[in-house]
Amino acid sequence: MIFLDKFDQKQLNGFTLVIPSVSVGNVGQLTIDLLISSLPTKKIGIVHHPAIHAMVGGDPYNPKSKEVTTSADLHLVQEHSLVILQIRSPLIKHEKQKFLEELVAWCKNTGIKDVVMLASCNAYERWDSQISGTQLRYYINVPESCEQMLRSVGAAELEERTDEFGKKHRFLSGAGFVQPFMDICELPVATLIKFVDEGDNRGDAYALATYLNAWKHLFKVKCLQMKPIHLGRPPFLGGTCTGVLNLSAFVDVSSTCLKQVLEG
C-alpha cells in the first residue's frame, strides 16, 4: 500500500503520524499542505490503494521542481519525529474500510507510536451552546493521554450527543473517516477538529495549524494564542483557488500506469 522511495521504514519507529480526514471544507488537507510547505519536510513515499483515486501532477509546493505529486504522498519531518500523510482524494466508499485497516496495520508494523488526525465538522450542526466560545475541539481514544495539554491551548473536548435511541456518541457531521479510523486503531489517536462552513477555508486551515503548533511546538512562534500565524504558503493559498490543490493541473492515471508515470 505504501511505497517508500529508498527509505527504510524502520527509521520511522517511535514517530508520530499526522493525517487529514477528508472532511467539510477540506480543512484537514489544507492544514497538511501548510505543514508540508512550512516545515523542513522530505518526501519519502507515495500511497497507492484501490480506495484512492489515482492521480498525478506537478509539485504544488515548488513550481520549479521536477518532483511529481500523487493523490497521497508521505513526507518526513526528521527533527520533530513526524511523518505526514497527505491525502488529496476522497476515499472510494466500498474500499474505505480496507484502506483504514491497512493503514493501521502499516502503522503498527512500522512502529508509529501515535496518530494525530486533522479534521473539520459542519458549523451549521452546532448546538446553541457551541456557537460562542472556542470553535476548536479534540477527540481522543486514550483518556488523559494528552487531554490536559489540549485544554491548555484553548480547545474543548468534542461533546457527546444522545440519539433517538438514547445512546450517547460523538456527533461528527462532515468529519469524514474520523470515527471509523478511531474505532479500529489500537494506537493513541488525537483528532483535532474545527467547526467550519464550506467556502474559502484558508483561515480555518491557519487556525487548525496554529492549534496543532500550540500543542506540538512545531514552529518558532513567540505567541501561541489561538490566532492565525504566518506560515509559508503553498501556491493555491496565495491565489484564487481555495481547493486542496488546483486539480486542473492534475491528470487521472490508471492503476497499471501509475508506477510508470512516477518512475518517469
Side-chain angles (χ1 to χ4, degrees), residues 26-48:
N26 299 318
V27 174
Q29 297 156 290
L30 286 165
T31 307
I32 291 290
D33 271 345
L34 279 172
L35 297 179
I36 294 172
S37 62
S38 304
L39 291 169
T41 59
K42 174 185 177 183
K43 183 178 174 181
I44 60 171
I46 66 168
V47 179
H48 182 47

Side-chain angles (χ1 to χ4, degrees), residues 30-90:
L30 286 165
T31 307
I32 291 290
D33 271 345
L34 279 172
L35 297 179
I36 294 172
S37 62
S38 304
L39 291 169
T41 59
K42 174 185 177 183
K43 183 178 174 181
I44 60 171
I46 66 168
V47 179
H48 182 47
H49 193 276
I52 302 175
H53 295 278
M55 303 183 74
V56 66
D59 188 340
Y61 313 110
N62 181 6
K64 296 181 180 180
S65 172
K66 295 183 180 179
E67 181 75 57
V68 298
T69 298
T70 70
S71 303
D73 296 320
L74 203 65
H75 297 258
L76 179 73
V77 189
Q78 186 72 48
E79 66 181 75
H80 294 294
S81 297
L82 295 180
V83 58
I84 301 174
L85 173 60
Q86 174 62 298
I87 302 174
R88 298 183 175 87
S89 163

Side-chain angles (χ1 to χ4, degrees), residues 169-200:
H169 59 90
R170 310 289 179 177
F171 190 72
L172 291 157
S173 172
F177 56 76
V178 170
Q179 192 63 63
F181 182 82
M182 295 189 71
D183 285 343
I184 64 173
C185 189
E186 299 173 3
L187 299 172
V189 181
T191 302
L192 311 185
I193 303 167
K194 189 176 187 300
F195 289 119
V196 306
D197 291 306
E198 190 84 51
D200 184 347

Side-chain angles (χ1 to χ4, degrees), residues 84-115:
I84 301 174
L85 173 60
Q86 174 62 298
I87 302 174
R88 298 183 175 87
S89 163
L91 300 185
I92 297 173
K93 185 176 181 180
H94 65 276
E95 296 284 355
K96 179 177 69 174
Q97 189 63 29
K98 184 178 180 182
F99 169 76
L100 297 178
E101 291 172 355
E102 292 184 17
L103 179 59
V104 170
W106 179 84
C107 289
K108 293 172 65 177
N109 292 335
T110 304
I112 295 295
K113 70 171 184 178
D114 57 7
V115 180

Side-chain angles (χ1 to χ4, degrees), residues 102-141:
E102 292 184 17
L103 179 59
V104 170
W106 179 84
C107 289
K108 293 172 65 177
N109 292 335
T110 304
I112 295 295
K113 70 171 184 178
D114 57 7
V115 180
V116 174
M117 188 157 26
L118 305 175
S120 49
C121 284
N122 284 308
Y124 66 80
E125 294 276 13
R126 292 172 296 176
W127 295 334
D128 290 346
S129 60
Q130 295 173 322
I131 293 176
S132 60
T134 181
Q135 298 302 293
L136 300 168
R137 295 292 188 273
Y138 65 84
Y139 178 23
I140 56 179
N141 65 349

